[in-house]
Each structure stands twice: as structure tokens, then as C-alpha cells.
Amino acid sequence: LFRSYTVIMDMVDIGKTLKTLRLEEHLSQARLAAILHVSPSTVSHWESGKTIPKIAKIAYICRIFGMSLSDYFREFPDG
């Protein structure tokens, strides 16, 4: 049970981090989706925590925002 809860929280945190980065760069979901070659609904699902991007896509997101993977995961918003 604890492990499942942690995974769910990570999904939400990954999405919150992505949304924060996107808004800081003044990008719409549609613009970020175009850059990432995904649909706007995919970005929406990531940001809401319904799904998470594959690690390769997270690595690409990091390159776009000029950060390392470890920095991305360190950026998790506080509860």
C-alpha cells in the first residue's frame, strides 16, 4: 500500500513540476505539446498526474528547460 501511494504522489509531483516549468517559460500546453511531438491532451494528462511521460521524454523535457534529470526531480513542489 505504501509503495502504491508513493508512485501516485510521484506522478502528481512530476506533473506539477512540468506545469511549473511550462508556466515559467510562458508556454501554453499546445505549444509545449508541439515542441515535444505529443498532443495537448497528453501534456494535460501529465500535468494532472493521470499519466507520466516515459523517462526518455522527461530527459527531452529537461533539455528543453536546460536542466538535468536530477534537477527536474529536485524541483518537486512542496505538498
Side-chain angles (χ1 to χ4, degrees):
L1 179 62
F2 178 75
R3 183 181 169 136
S4 296
Y5 177 76
T6 301
V7 170
I8 291 168
M9 289 307 297
D10 287 347
M11 288 174 63
V12 171
D13 288 342
I14 288 169
K16 286 180 180 179
T17 298
L18 178 59
K19 183 175 183 176
T20 298
L21 292 169
R22 178 179 63 78
L23 293 175
E24 285 176 356
E25 294 297 320
H26 308 286
L27 295 172
S28 66
Q29 285 183 339
R31 180 66 186 128
L32 181 59
I35 292 167
L36 296 173
H37 308 288
V38 298
S39 70
S41 64
T42 297
V43 173
S44 176
H45 286 150
W46 291 342
E47 289 184 354
S48 68
K50 290 180 182 176
T51 61
I52 59 172
K54 293 183 179 188
I55 193 67
K57 194 62 82 173
I58 294 174
Y60 186 51
I61 290 166
C62 289
R63 285 195 304 273
I64 290 168
F65 291 108
M67 62 193 328
S68 68
L69 279 170
S70 60
D71 287 340
Y72 183 91
F73 289 106
R74 217 175 284 130
E75 289 292 320
F76 283 173
D78 294 333

